[in-house]
Amino acid sequence: MALEERLLFPHKNHTTMASNSPLSSSPTSVSFFLAYDTAYEEIDRDSSVTTSKSRSSDDDDTSDSSSPITMKEFTKALPPILRKQKEYERKSSSHQECQTSAVRGTKDDPVNALFSRLDLTLGEWKKYAMFESKKNYTRNLIATDDETFTLLLLCWNPGKESPIHDHPCDGCWLRVCQGKIQETRYEINTETDRMDVTSDVVFEDDAPAFIDDSMGYHKVGNPSTSTPAITLHLYCPPFNQCKIWLDPSHASSPSKACMCNYSEYGVKHSCEMFEVNMI
């Protein structure tokens, strides 16, 4: 099998999920740290109605240039933009800071504009696309400066998804490189102690999507039971831990998860902790 095929289409002897499989039962509170990419929930296709949504590239801000840029160009241009934003926030009033936050992920966001220009042709990301059949998905580090951003390629096995989680940063930008991705968003209902679904959509194109904690929490997964999916995720600034919810009926009892990368800079980790399910 050609190298390109092995990267994009992992071994077919992986376990796939039946289309009507129920959510696996999980403890309401877990005291130990969980590996974020192995916390396990299956997509319940009977519990909610999924709608398809194709994002228009008309929303992209290309005020400076609309020409595609490489990964190398992107990771070089991004940190100065983020540092400038932070410097502006430090010097701004609370009202101005709120206005800056409100722009993130919109057509007026310079980070969103730069991210939308990133060339997602196969040659730009294929060396980072590493699957593992025993995992729901893998987190593959492309680049980070350990200060302003982390850029990851996530490779999703068919029918698998992340747990519900937060983003202890300024936000997460996402683009689809291959396949389809389902995003379900939640808000916490303090009266019922439940996480209520606020939206459930499938993204099929590569236009940027964005979320931060002011917009709610989410889980992301591959709705296909036969085709792998690949997504590009930008987190600004980097973080090492986040909250996850294994049981949406107990919103006040999240668990903590540590960020574990399956590979870094195109090289698979050899450490055993990245090979086993920690649940």
Side-chain angles (χ1 to χ4, degrees):
M1 182 181 293
L3 173 62
E4 182 174 312
E5 290 183 276
R6 293 202 303 271
L7 287 172
L8 301 185
F9 301 100
H11 200 280
K12 293 184 179 179
N13 290 335
H14 54 257
T15 303
T16 58
M17 181 194 68
S19 60
N20 58 355
S21 296
L23 287 170
S24 60
S25 59
S26 303
T28 59
S29 179
V30 181
S31 59
F32 54 83
F33 284 88
L34 304 174
Y36 172 81
D37 59 335
T38 54
Y40 186 72
E41 276 186 300
E42 291 185 340
I43 300 173
D44 184 0
R45 303 181 193 285
D46 294 329
S47 64
S48 60
V49 178
T50 301
T51 59
S52 293
K53 177 181 178 182
S54 178
R55 292 155 293 170
S56 170
S57 60
D58 291 337
D59 293 335
D60 294 342
D61 179 6
T62 54
S63 56
D64 294 329
S65 174
S66 59
S67 59
I69 57 175
T70 65
M71 291 281 188
K72 184 177 181 179
E73 290 171 330
F74 175 77
T75 57
K76 181 180 180 180
L78 181 62
I81 294 174
L82 295 169
R83 292 190 187 104
K84 185 177 180 180
Q85 287 182 334
K86 285 298 182 183
E87 183 64 22
Y88 176 79
E89 289 177 4
R90 281 193 291 268
K91 296 179 179 179
S92 301
S93 65
S94 298
H95 176 67
Q96 289 172 318
E97 186 174 342
C98 289
Q99 288 180 319
T100 302
S101 299
V103 168
R104 290 193 181 103
T106 71
K107 65 180 182 179
D108 297 318
D109 176 15
V111 176
N112 195 73
L114 191 69
F115 191 51
S116 69
R117 292 174 54 201
L118 185 51
D119 182 8
L120 293 189
T121 55
L122 185 60
E124 281 295 308
W125 52 262
K126 70 176 182 179
K127 72 177 182 179
Y128 307 105
M130 299 185 189
F131 285 84
E132 170 53 63
S133 62
K134 296 178 182 179
K135 291 177 174 284
N136 288 0
Y137 60 98
T138 58
R139 292 166 46 90
N140 302 284
L141 179 65
I142 295 175
T144 184
D145 63 358
D146 294 317
E147 176 197 353
T148 63
F149 80 96
T150 295
L151 187 64
L152 292 166
L153 195 72
L154 272 58
C155 298
W156 305 85
N157 281 317
K160 302 301 183 182
E161 64 180 12
S162 75
I164 304 168
H165 58 277
D166 71 350
H167 297 89
C169 60
D170 291 336
C172 168
W173 291 256
L174 177 153
R175 291 180 66 186
V176 178
C177 300
Q178 175 181 293
K180 301 178 182 180
I181 283 295
Q182 179 178 347
E183 183 203 46
T184 307
R185 294 193 179 188
Y186 298 82
E187 65 179 10
I188 294 178
N189 187 325
T190 55
E191 293 184 359
T192 63
D193 195 32
R194 295 184 62 88
M195 303 195 76
D196 295 336
V197 175
T198 59
S199 68
D200 196 6
V201 299
V202 172
F203 296 128
E204 302 183 49
D205 61 31
D206 65 357
F210 175 79
I211 188 172
D212 64 21
D213 286 356
S214 71
M215 303 165 70
Y217 311 107
H218 76 174
K219 65 179 178 181
V220 178
N222 181 359
S224 172
T225 58
S226 59
T227 304
I230 298 174
T231 50
L232 186 68
H233 296 243
L234 173 66
Y235 303 98
C236 302
F239 56 91
N240 296 317
Q241 299 175 10
C242 72
K243 294 178 183 178
I244 61 172
W245 287 264
L246 299 177
D247 186 348
S249 66
H250 293 83
S252 61
S253 302
S255 300
K256 290 182 180 179
C258 57
M259 305 293 101
C260 300
N261 297 326
Y262 183 72
S263 71
E264 295 188 351
Y265 312 111
V267 179
K268 178 183 173 183
H269 270 293
S270 58
C271 180
E272 287 186 1
M273 73 170 290
F274 298 100
E275 302 296 329
V276 299
N277 190 323
M278 296 178 66
I279 296 300

